[in-house]
Amino acid sequence: MAGSGGLGGGAGGSQGAGGGPGATLRAPRAPLLFAALVGVKKGGTRALLEFLRLHPDVRALGSEPHFFDRCYERGLAWYRSLMPRTLDGQITMEKTPSYFVTREAPRRIHGMSPATKLIVVVRNPVTRAISDYAQMLSKTPGLPSFGTLAFRRGLGPVDTAWSAVRIGLYAQHLDNWLRYFPLSRFLFVSGERLVSDPAGELGHVQDFLGLKRVVTDKHFYFNATKGFPCLKKAQGSGRPRCLGKSKGRPHPRVPEAMVQRLRAFYRPFNRKFYQMTGQDFGWD
Ligand SMILES: Nc1ncnc2c1ncn2[C@@H]1O[C@H](COP(=O)(O)OS(=O)(=O)O)[C@@H](OP(=O)(O)O)[C@H]1O
């Protein structure tokens, strides 16, 4: 049943983990080294996962399983069956950014394994909200303007009921996680630095996961057309690869006065988040 018994087993098969001849697979049901990229939506989670997958000791699910939010009723055996097979010492990973804002997710993940390592990519909540809105617009072109949705009656107080605003209240969401996990189980990655210095952020992530620093600046180049760091050699093709069009979308223009109001709104929440994490992300 979901919520008990750990994640062990699904990756422990008798063949086909890609470890080459003579590689020993973990015994079935041996506890997995499990790490989850739990958020935040539009923080840069796909970039981080794709970069981490270059590491030979990381085996990550490509798609978002949404087990701890939408699919929990399917049970742990289902979740386990989705996971890639791993060798002893390899880390199994998945990313589902909505976990960070799902009330039940921390309790459920803790129920599966309190040893889970949790990674959160955070980004300036104002830019994150605009990025979220850009994604909504790409799916629903006739959507009301950003200002209409972000402010009640278009002019009034900030509307915290709108998901694009609410997700950025990082301190509030983290409070819920800290009821189940100590801070030492978390790594907070700066979404801004993931763009300006991907190798530096990947260094912290590999340290946190107890991995050798294999992914380094040798793996990245800055693609001026895309405006983002890209991989020199993608897994499989060995060719240069940037993330797809939905990553690094142009943002709709939002009036500066609205941006300033949102910045002021988030400031106390950001400060609280800096205090809680002991890290200043420099968004003020
Ligand atoms: N290297 C690289 N290439 C492309 N994009 C990058 C990269 N690093 C970080 N980012 C930023 O990632 C943002 C999308 O975040 P997520 O992958 O977390 O989005 S999602 O929640 O999974 O939809 C995406 O947001 P937008 O720029 O608003 O599209 C990017 O700013």
Side-chain angles (χ1 to χ4, degrees):
M1 185 55 216
S4 64
L7 189 63
S14 56
Q15 55 181 312
T24 49
L25 285 172
R26 279 179 312 96
R29 310 201 70 79
L32 276 187
L33 294 167
F34 182 63
L37 232 167
V38 297
V40 299
K41 185 181 179 198
K42 306 320 292 178
T45 55
R46 175 55 61 189
L48 180 57
L49 193 75
E50 293 309 313
F51 298 166
L52 261 181
R53 290 174 101 176
L54 294 176
H55 199 293
D57 291 335
V58 171
R59 301 299 312 276
L61 192 61
S63 58
E64 296 178 8
H66 283 278
F67 175 59
F68 296 105
D69 57 348
R70 296 185 208 147
C71 303
Y72 196 61
E73 296 317 313
R74 295 190 177 197
L76 197 58
W78 173 80
Y79 184 53
R80 204 186 269 152
S81 74
L82 299 178
M83 291 298 158
R85 289 165 182 265
T86 49
L87 295 169
D88 230 352
Q90 284 184 322
I91 294 177
T92 309
M93 284 198 73
E94 70 119 314
K95 84 129 181 150
T96 305
S98 46
Y99 291 163
F100 193 62
V101 300
T102 300
R103 187 134 201 95
E104 303 78 21
R107 179 176 49 76
R108 290 172 173 177
I109 295 178
H110 187 270
M112 180 192 74
S113 170
T116 304
K117 292 193 178 185
L118 303 159
I119 302 175
V120 193
V121 188
V122 287
R123 181 180 186 188
N124 184 328
V126 179
T127 331
R128 199 219 66 80
I130 298 171
S131 170
D132 208 342
Y133 175 71
Q135 174 161 305
M136 293 174 193
L137 258 189
S138 73
K139 291 181 181 161
T140 316
L143 212 60
S145 71
F146 180 86
T148 307
L149 295 166
F151 302 97
R152 278 187 237 147
R153 297 176 304 280
L155 289 164
V158 171
D159 191 349
T160 53
W162 187 37
S163 66
V165 168
R166 193 176 51 84
I167 291 170
L169 301 172
Y170 303 146
Q172 288 191 2
H173 304 300
L174 181 58
D175 241 351
N176 183 39
W177 284 85
L178 292 177
R179 292 165 61 210
Y180 297 91
F181 289 96
L183 196 63
S184 57
R185 289 259 149 248
F186 290 86
L187 180 73
F188 299 95
V189 173
S190 158
E192 286 80 17
R193 283 200 301 269
L194 189 61
V195 176
S196 63
D197 178 17
E201 286 307 285
L202 263 287
H204 298 308
V205 178
Q206 290 168 96
D207 292 349
F208 174 70
L209 295 175
L211 296 169
K212 207 170 142 207
R213 286 193 174 203
V214 170
V215 185
T216 64
D217 51 5
K218 288 201 305 280
H219 291 91
F220 303 101
Y221 75 100
F222 185 80
N223 183 306
T225 313
K226 174 91 179 161
F228 283 90
C230 297
L231 295 175
K232 281 185 187 161
K233 286 183 182 181
Q235 255 187 338
S237 74
R239 294 218 291 268
R241 187 167 89 84
C242 296
L243 296 190
K245 280 204 185 90
S246 67
K247 309 293 176 183
R249 277 194 186 100
H251 288 182
R253 212 189 75 75
V254 173
E256 185 56 25
M258 284 186 187
V259 171
Q260 291 307 332
R261 280 192 61 202
L262 268 183
R263 284 177 70 148
F265 164 78
Y266 278 120
R267 198 163 289 129
F269 296 100
N270 290 343
R271 297 232 165 106
K272 170 107 190 288
F273 184 65
Y274 300 166
Q275 277 170 7
M276 291 168 86
T277 58
Q279 276 174 265
D280 182 339
F281 291 90
W283 300 320
D284 294 281

